[in-house]
Amino acid sequence: MNGLDLGIIGNGTIAGIINSGGDYQWLCLPRFDGEPVFNHLLGGGGRFDVWMDDLKSRSQSYDTNTSILRTRLESEDGAVMDIIDFAPRFEQRGRVYRPATIVRRFHVVAGAPRIRITLTPETDWGGRKLAAVRGVNHIRFTDGEIAFRVTTDAPVSYVMSGTSFILEQDVSFILGADESLSDTVDVITLDWEERTRQYWMKWSRSLAVPFEWQDEVIRAAITLKLCVFEETGGIVAALTTSIPEHEGSERNWDYRFCWIRDAYFSVSALNRLSAMGTLEHYMRWVRNIVTQSKGGHIQPVYGIGLESVLTEELAPNLPGFRDTGPVRRGNQAAEHIQHDVYGQVVLGVAQSFFDRRLLSPPGVPEFRQLEPVGERAFAVHDTPDAGIWEFRTIADVHTSSAIMCWAACDRLSRIAAQLGLGDRQVYWAERAAIIHKTVLDKAWNPDVKAFTATFGGTALDASVLLMAEIGFLAATDPRYIATVEAIDSTLREGNHVYRYKTADDFGRPKTAFTACTFWHIDALYRIGRADEAREMFESVLATRNHVGLLSEDVDPATGELWGNFPQTYCMVGIINSAALLSKPWTSVI
C-alpha cells in the first residue's frame, strides 16, 4: 500500500480520508481545519480501522458519479465484505443537509467474514486518547471542546475491546453529534446513503463536461466540491497538513486553509463546468475579505471562517507522514506579502458580473467595493513580494505577481464597460496598460529569450505560463512561444514540470509541481503542439492514484505522489486541460 493510496469522503462541512484497506487515516472535527481525531496519516494513534481474518485481496472505488467510497475486502476462505463510507449530503426542507457526520456500513457480500474493528480517536494533535463512555448501542467520546457519539448496531463490547467477531449480517456506524438518533442506525444509514447517492448523481448530471475524459473530469469536480466549506464559501487548498513535498524536505505545510489563488482557480474550473453554486458561495467569502481589508493589504490566505491569524505551530506528538516531520498546524503564509492576490480576488468574481444565471448578480455597489483592490494592485505591481511560491526569506518583483496585478485592472475595466461606467472603464484600462508595458519592459530577457521569474532576472518560473490563460499576451506572440519553449527545455523532466529549479529557503526542489505540469500542457496546446500536449496529459493522468486523485507533487523518476492531498490545484488542472484538449461533441454526434 502506497502512502497516498487514499480516497476522500465529505459533504461541505467535514471530510475524511480512508486508505485502500478501508482504514480511516484522517478526520478533523468539527470542520476541515479542526482537531484531527483520526490522525494515523501522520503517525498518530487516532484510528477507525477494520481488520479481516486471512485477508486475500482488497480493492477500492467510488460509486459512479458520487462521493460514496466502497472498499471491498476478500478473505482466503471466500468471505467478501464491502465497506461503504460517506458523509451525508442531500436536499431536505429546502436546504442542503450536511451535518458534521460520517457513516460507515459494513455489508456482507459472501460468506461470514471475521473482522476486528479498532476505534481509538485522539485529541490534542495526538497528545491523548479521547475518553470513551459506553452506552447500550453507542460510544460517547468527550474531552473538553471535542464531543461526539458513534452509534452502531455492531456489538459495542467487541468494538470497545477490539475483539474479533464473525460478521453475520450488515452493521452500520454513524459518527456525529452527541445526541440520540431519530430512528434505528440501519434505517437511517440506508436512507442517508440513497439520498446522498441521488444528490451527487443529480449534481454530476448538471455538469457541462467535455466529450473526452468525462470520468476524470467528474471525479475532479466532485473532489473540488468536497473542498468547499459551504458555510462560508471558503475553499481549502487541500484537506491535509504536513505531507512533505519529498522525503526529508521539511516542506511540510498546513493546507487546510483558503488561499485566494487556489480558490480562484477552483471557482474558475467549476464555472467552466457550469457548477455555478460554488461561485455564489465564493462571492460572499471574497466580499467579506474585500470589506475587511478596507482598500489595504489583503493576505494571501485566510481561514475558512475568514480567520486572519493562522499562527504556525509544531505538533510534536505526531511523528509525521512516514515518520517525516515536522507536523505543522497553522500557516505562516498568512503573514506574507503576495501581490498576485489582488488580481485573483477580481478574477475570482469577474464572471459574476456577466453571468445572467445568478440569482443575485452583482452590480455597481459591488464594483465600487472592488475598485480599492485594483488601486492596491496598481500601487504594488512593481514592488517586491514573496511571490506565488511563498518564499520565506526571498523578496523580488515577481513577474507572476505583476501580471496578476494587470489582471485586476484589466478586469475592472471590462466590468465597468458591462455596467455602463465609461469613465471607470477608461480609468482602469489606462492603469492596465501601464502595468502591461512595465512587465514587457522588465520581465522579458532577450538573452534568455523568455519572460523570467523576476524583473531583470535570469531564472525561469512556470507560473509565467499563465500569461496566455489570463489574456496578458496572445499565445501566438513570439515572446510567449519562446518562453514556453524555454520552460520546456529547462523545467520539464519527462512529462513533469517543476515550478523552478533554483535554490530556495529549503534548497533545490526535488519533485515536480503537478499544477505546473497542467499549465505547461495548456501552453503547449495553445502554441500549436496539440499532439504533444495530449500525450503529456494522458501521462499525468496515469499518475493519479487508484481512485483518480492527485496530491501536490510527483517524483518524475518514480511517479510517486508527494505533498498535501488531494490538492485542488491539480484537480483544477484536470478539468481545464480536458476542456481545452478534448474533441468537441460535434465530432461524434
Side-chain angles (χ1 to χ4, degrees):
M1 187 184 301
N2 294 323
L4 294 179
D5 280 348
L6 307 168
I8 68 167
I9 64 166
N11 61 4
T13 298
I14 60 172
I17 298 180
I18 302 160
N19 70 14
S20 58
D23 300 332
Y24 257 92
Q25 300 291 286
W26 191 251
L27 175 71
C28 295
L29 294 176
R31 59 186 208 179
F32 299 151
D33 58 352
E35 175 78 29
V37 295
F38 301 142
N39 54 24
H40 191 55
L41 183 67
L42 299 182
R47 312 172 75 123
F48 193 176
D49 296 354
V50 59
W51 170 89
M52 175 183 272
D53 194 14
D54 296 325
L55 180 67
K56 180 178 74 173
S57 66
R58 60 173 177 251
S59 61
Q60 190 175 58
S61 62
Y62 282 104
D63 288 1
T64 302
N65 294 352
T66 76
S67 66
I68 299 173
L69 188 65
R70 185 177 298 264
T71 308
R72 173 158 292 191
L73 305 180
E74 183 173 355
S75 67
E76 294 286 352
D77 66 1
V80 182
M81 176 182 70
D82 282 351
I83 307 170
I84 297 97
D85 285 293
F86 66 97
R89 180 183 174 93
F90 48 83
E91 294 179 6
Q92 178 172 278
R93 297 174 183 171
R95 64 182 181 89
V96 175
Y97 181 66
R98 43 176 178 77
T101 299
I102 60 168
V103 180
R104 309 202 81 179
R105 181 163 69 89
F106 294 78
H107 170 58
V108 179
V109 178
R114 186 168 181 266
I115 67 170
R116 180 176 67 244
I117 294 170
T118 301
L119 180 57
T120 56
E122 292 187 338
T123 187
D124 192 25
W125 284 77
R128 61 185 184 276
K129 297 279 192 255
L130 275 166
V133 178
R134 177 190 170 133
V136 174
N137 59 0
H138 71 264
I139 308 170
R140 296 179 61 242
F141 294 96
T142 61
D143 189 306
E145 296 181 1
I146 295 288
F148 59 88
R149 177 180 299 204
V150 178
T151 306
T152 182
D153 51 3
V156 173
S157 295
Y158 292 161
V159 174
M160 292 194 70
S161 63
T163 300
S164 299
F165 65 98
I166 294 174
L167 190 64
E168 297 179 304
Q169 61 186 17
D170 293 4
V171 297
S172 301
F173 292 77
I174 297 177
L175 184 158
D178 185 18
E179 57 191 33
S180 299
L181 299 179
S182 60
D183 207 332
T184 60
V185 65
D186 58 327
V187 168
I188 290 176
T189 294
L190 291 173
D191 176 56
W192 283 1
E193 181 181 337
E194 181 56 28
R195 294 170 78 177
T196 299
R197 185 188 320 281
Q198 291 302 318
Y199 172 88
W200 285 109
M201 292 182 71
K202 180 181 178 182
W203 187 82
S204 298
R205 282 198 300 271
S206 71
L207 300 177
V209 298
F211 169 65
E212 296 182 273
W213 304 294
Q214 293 180 44
D215 290 338
E216 293 85 347
V217 167
I218 291 171
R219 180 54 48 204
I222 290 174
T223 304
L224 286 183
K225 182 76 169 171
L226 295 181
C227 292
V228 178
F229 185 61
E230 201 158 307
E231 179 184 327
T232 64
I235 305 171
V236 294
L239 296 170
T240 60
T241 177
S242 302
I243 302 179
E245 294 180 16
H246 59 83
E247 191 167 7
S249 69
E250 295 193 19
R251 302 171 190 262
N252 302 21
W253 315 118
D254 193 345
Y255 275 15
R256 301 169 305 143
F257 307 115
C258 186
W259 272 259
I260 291 174
R261 78 173 63 88
D262 296 56
Y264 150 63
F265 283 116
S266 297
V267 168
S268 64
L270 290 172
N271 288 350
R272 182 167 286 176
L273 299 177
S274 297
M276 300 304 299
T278 302
L279 174 59
E280 293 175 307
H281 290 306
Y282 180 67
M283 276 176 54
R284 294 198 303 270
W285 191 84
V286 167
R287 286 183 63 190
N288 277 296
I289 283 181
V290 170
T291 302
Q292 181 177 306
S293 72
K294 298 179 180 179
H297 168 65
I298 294 179
Q299 296 177 192
V301 55
Y302 291 83
I304 55 178
L306 286 176
E307 297 85 0
S308 58
V309 178
L310 305 177
T311 304
E312 186 174 300
E313 301 173 330
L314 298 184
N317 296 317
L318 294 175
F321 179 76
R322 297 183 181 177
D323 293 323
T324 302
V327 170
R328 292 184 172 95
R329 54 185 179 187
N331 201 300
Q332 186 190 325
E335 303 168 17
H336 288 183
I337 304 297
Q338 295 176 33
H339 299 328
D340 60 309
V341 299
Y342 304 108
Q344 284 138 5
V345 164
V346 179
L347 284 168
V349 300
Q351 179 176 332
S352 63
F353 286 88
F354 299 86
D355 200 312
R356 302 295 292 271
R357 294 171 293 175
L358 296 181
L359 296 176
S360 301
V364 173
E366 289 78 13
F367 170 75
R368 298 295 187 192
Q369 285 183 327
L370 282 178
E371 286 198 288
V373 178
E375 295 288 5
R376 183 72 176 173
F378 183 73
V380 302
H381 75 272
D382 57 353
T383 62
D385 72 345
I388 187 174
W389 307 124
E390 300 181 341
F391 299 118
R392 296 201 163 198
T393 61
I394 302 169
D396 283 299
V397 182
H398 290 93
T399 303
S400 59
S401 295
I403 65 174
M404 284 299 174
C405 289
W406 168 85
C409 298
D410 175 76
R411 296 315 193 267
L412 284 170
S413 176
R414 300 188 196 189
I415 294 169
Q418 171 71 8
L419 297 174
L421 304 175
D423 58 331
R424 305 312 293 167
Q425 175 190 359
V426 172
Y427 178 88
W428 288 113
E430 288 174 346
R431 273 149 183 73
I434 292 170
I435 300 175
H436 197 275
K437 184 178 186 304
T438 300
V439 174
L440 295 184
D441 290 344
K442 297 186 177 182
W444 172 257
N445 187 319
D447 297 326
V448 179
K449 294 184 173 58
F451 287 101
T452 53
T454 60
F455 283 12
T458 58
L460 295 177
D461 186 323
S463 62
V464 303
L465 294 170
L466 294 171
M467 281 184 170
E469 180 173 328
I470 66 172
F472 182 87
L473 277 185
T476 54
D477 189 295
R479 292 164 295 186
Y480 182 75
I481 294 171
T483 300
V484 175
E485 291 172 344
I487 289 172
D488 194 70
S489 63
T490 305
L491 301 184
R492 178 177 172 180
E493 286 191 13
N495 283 324
H496 302 282
V497 177
Y498 285 71
R499 291 172 289 188
Y500 48 86
K501 287 193 172 180
T502 54
D504 59 19
D505 307 296
F506 296 88
R508 286 178 174 269
K510 295 182 180 180
T511 49
F513 194 75
T514 303
C516 293
T517 302
F518 286 118
W519 296 346
H520 194 66
I521 288 167
D522 296 352
L524 289 176
Y525 178 86
R526 288 188 172 103
I527 69 171
R529 294 162 62 176
D531 290 342
E532 186 177 357
R534 287 178 64 91
E535 187 276 329
M536 196 172 179
F537 183 57
E538 292 283 4
S539 177
V540 73
L541 287 179
T543 67
R544 296 175 306 146
N545 74 3
H546 64 297
V547 290
L549 306 184
L550 284 168
S551 61
E552 181 179 37
D553 306 277
V554 63
D555 185 333
T558 65
E560 186 176 14
L561 300 178
W562 287 91
N564 280 309
F565 177 92
Q567 210 221 19
T568 53
Y569 254 155
C570 298
M571 310 319 289
V572 165
I574 292 173
I575 293 170
N576 289 347
S577 293
L580 195 63
L581 302 176
S582 174
K583 298 174 184 176
W585 282 93
T586 53
S587 67
V588 293
I589 57 175

